[in-house]
Amino acid sequence: MSRESSRATYNKLELLKLMYLSREGDRREGVLLRQGKGWFQVAGMGHESLAVIAMQLRPEDYLFPYYRDRAMMLAKGMNNGELARAYFAKRNTSSGGRQMPGHPSSREKNIWSVPTPTASNLLPACGVAWGMQIQGVPGVVVATTGDAASRQGEFYEAVAYAIERKLPVVFVVEDNRYGISTNTDKFNPFKLGIFSKQIGLVHVDGRHPDNVWVAASESIDRARDGAGPSVLVCEVDRLCSHTSSDDHRVYRPPVEISEMMERDPINTVAEELIEAGELTWDAWEEIRHQIDQQVDQEYRDAELEPDPKASELMDHLFGAEPNASEPPMESGRKWRMVDAVNEVFREGLKTDRRYVFFGEDIEDPKGGVFRLTAGLSTQFPDRVFNSPLAEATIAGVAVGLASFGMLPVFELQFVDFSGPAWSQITQNMATIRWRTFGQWKCPSVIYSPYGAYLPGGSIWHSQANEGSFAHIPGLRVVVPSTPEDAAGLMWTAMHSEDPTIYLIPKHLFRQQMEVPSNLQPVPFGKARVRREGQDVTLVSWGNCIEPSMEAAAKLDGQVSVEVIDLRSIVPWDFETIAESLEKTGRLVVVQEDAESCSVGQMVLSKITSTAETFSHLLSPPQLVSRADVHIGYNPIYEYAALPDTQRVISAIRATMED
């Protein structure tokens, strides 16, 4: 074992007390639940010996636990009173009562917020480890998961990325042989021989803390020495049912339950200490009695703590609105959106070393498939990186980097490929601030080319799906349509405390457009009147601004159309539309996304359900949209699906028919 002087031993009696404290907390919660006090419980009985891993961590190290790691969280510095309040979902907890029991966190102790989706904590753990590496600061990240979760794709992506970058991370697989009721022996990749010792793979009987101490010491030292990650597979027993909603007696043979109870790690350690003369049975009985009383009092106190307030439901969904400032680009000349965005990226990298860029093919000489990052990796090789072909890695690492205090600006090569990243975007990126009551935040930008009107894209390169992202609470969503708005919105997004989904219309971003001399900041939630009019209000964004402007021009002299570029989808500018409607009394919304459950329908719903704006309407509002259909490869299919100038004109004329 390396560093024997610093890793040679641990206080086994103190560990025993901590293990029993964890066990008694689990037991007490089970009793309370049966008394009708509480709604749910997930216990870590049998996993307590793994606490010795966290005992080896320093204050600057991070722990990314999963929901059976009660003992490990106690060892990293949380106290049982916090966990008691979390069981009752009280306001004075790390989640403000928003997370289930077994899902606490601590910003102060560097214990990341536990997500329920299995293995979804691992890629963010890589992000924190990468942040340590980029900044050259010491630290180790320990990330844990169950054996069943080792079949999740994100588990493999995390291990692969950690090996690629030689990240200071230790993955701990807690192998209790069950994924709820399913025995995992035939699914477990470590039992299938998929992994080799070349990755720092260590198997250990985790039922005894001595074994775990030695193996964890070597893995943690390996990470501290810059030798890269390890995968520590710890065989443990789950001495309880999966959760309070489960009964393991239904699917586990009685003899199996009996055998594992006989090797309970708490009893094993206590008996060893007694046999060694370091503890007596009477002293052990007294220790348990004192802990029982402590836990009893802490849960009594926790039950009396204030509950969350319904009035605070929306608190911490977003941070403060970013202060928008004039984008860093030359005014009074022609720009392409792609060049304007590149200029903003360059200025960000110049002015703040926290910015990190990551995406497929974004390094030179390619500079991104659309050249959005051209020249950046040459000028800033320490902060502009190619990613693997793994969208979940891109999104998950962004979450971790942001949690560590960096400012990730990451590219998804096409928004059509956001599917593999969906879990990280929706389960971690969008929820981390809200689910931790503002303790953790995720300042990040995920930008992606999107949309059609560019023949040959087919199903996989032509999606306009802003409605999907807009549906997820906690995400800001923007779609520019001019170079100055592209630069302004990106500059605002890069200075936001929250995650922003930034969608760049491919049809528009190589068009040369004149940029006005009086550049203005572009805040979130502020639409732009692109053309003034008196008869009809037309609202659009992205690629559909082009047919909207063309339709308004063709009707010039017949119908006076006011064209509003929404720009910001979440939040969106109701007030500007309402002000226009007061003047025109007629509304058309034009969008590229499919119709059902779309942003266009959201706008129409709000307008027609608000008395003020409904009273302004002189005719039924119209929605011009792609049908609920995919984009075909042959341009005939593509243009048959998309809104065009003639359809927009027809909708405008329909609103004029009183």
Side-chain angles (χ1 to χ4, degrees), residues 596-609:
S596 296
C597 306
S598 64
V599 173
Q601 288 188 335
M602 173 189 75
V603 171
L604 294 186
S605 173
K606 180 69 173 178
I607 294 298
T608 56
S609 64

Side-chain angles (χ1 to χ4, degrees), residues 366-381:
K366 186 73 172 175
V369 295
F370 294 101
R371 305 288 289 166
L372 286 160
T373 54
L376 298 185
S377 68
T378 300
Q379 190 172 356
F380 307 98

Side-chain angles (χ1 to χ4, degrees), residues 261-414:
M261 291 299 181
E262 291 177 2
R263 52 181 184 252
D264 184 333
I266 292 179
N267 293 340
T268 298
V269 173
E271 290 168 3
E272 287 181 355
L273 287 170
I274 291 169
E275 289 176 9
E278 299 177 34
L279 183 68
T280 65
W281 283 110
D282 287 344
W284 176 222
E285 181 67 27
E286 178 60 25
I287 288 170
R288 286 185 293 171
H289 176 67
Q290 291 176 359
I291 292 175
D292 290 349
Q293 288 187 315
Q294 172 194 340
V295 171
D296 181 68
Q297 188 61 53
E298 286 170 339
Y299 276 84
R300 288 179 184 275
D301 292 343
E303 190 175 1
L304 300 176
E305 284 276 325
D307 286 317
K309 302 175 183 178
S311 61
E312 294 178 332
L313 172 66
M314 303 300 292
D315 288 6
H316 304 296
L317 185 60
F318 293 103
E321 287 288 333
N323 293 320
S325 59
E326 182 181 315
M329 63 184 298
E330 184 183 350
S331 61
R333 50 159 281 200
K334 286 188 175 182
W335 280 89
R336 301 184 306 170
M337 291 174 67
V338 62
D339 301 321
V341 170
N342 181 270
E343 185 69 12
V344 169
F345 287 167
R346 192 178 310 277
E347 186 63 22
L349 286 161
K350 282 181 183 177
T351 56
D352 195 330
R353 290 196 56 80
R354 292 178 297 166
Y355 286 115
V356 178
F357 285 69
F358 189 57
E360 297 161 16
D361 302 296
I362 71 166
E363 288 184 22
D364 296 326
K366 186 73 172 175
V369 295
F370 294 101
R371 305 288 289 166
L372 286 160
T373 54
L376 298 185
S377 68
T378 300
Q379 190 172 356
F380 307 98
D382 58 336
R383 285 177 293 136
V384 181
F385 306 95
N386 278 341
S387 74
L389 189 68
E391 286 79 13
T393 296
I394 294 169
V397 167
V399 174
L401 271 180
S403 296
F404 187 64
M406 305 291 278
L407 298 172
V409 183
F410 284 14
E411 177 178 310
L412 293 178
Q413 198 166 84
F414 291 88

Side-chain angles (χ1 to χ4, degrees), residues 517-530:
S517 56
N518 57 334
L519 279 178
Q520 299 294 318
V522 186
F524 291 143
K526 182 61 179 174
R528 175 183 179 185
V529 178
R530 294 286 298 276

Side-chain angles (χ1 to χ4, degrees), residues 51 73 89 140 147 165 170 196 251 261 268 276 361 437 445 507 517 548 569 592 594:
M73 297 177 207
V140 168
D147 55 299
R165 294 276 173 189
V170 178
S196 72
Y251 50 84
M261 291 299 181
T268 298
D361 302 296
F437 218 61
V445 180
H507 173 71
S517 56
S548 297
I569 306 300
E592 186 180 354

Side-chain angles (χ1 to χ4, degrees), residues 450-466:
Y450 108 125
Y453 295 95
L454 211 65
S458 187
I459 302 172
W460 315 119
H461 303 84
S462 305
Q463 288 187 41
N465 52 0
E466 65 272 13

Side-chain angles (χ1 to χ4, degrees), residues 58-89:
R58 301 169 182 170
E60 67 269 21
D61 297 333
Y62 279 69
L63 176 63
F64 280 68
Y66 96 121
Y67 46 71
R68 285 200 209 286
D69 287 332
R70 183 188 189 100
M72 206 178 291
M73 297 177 207
L74 290 170
K76 186 69 168 73
M78 296 194 77
N79 64 65
N80 191 64
E82 293 177 270
L83 302 181
R85 293 192 297 274
Y87 169 76
F88 287 109

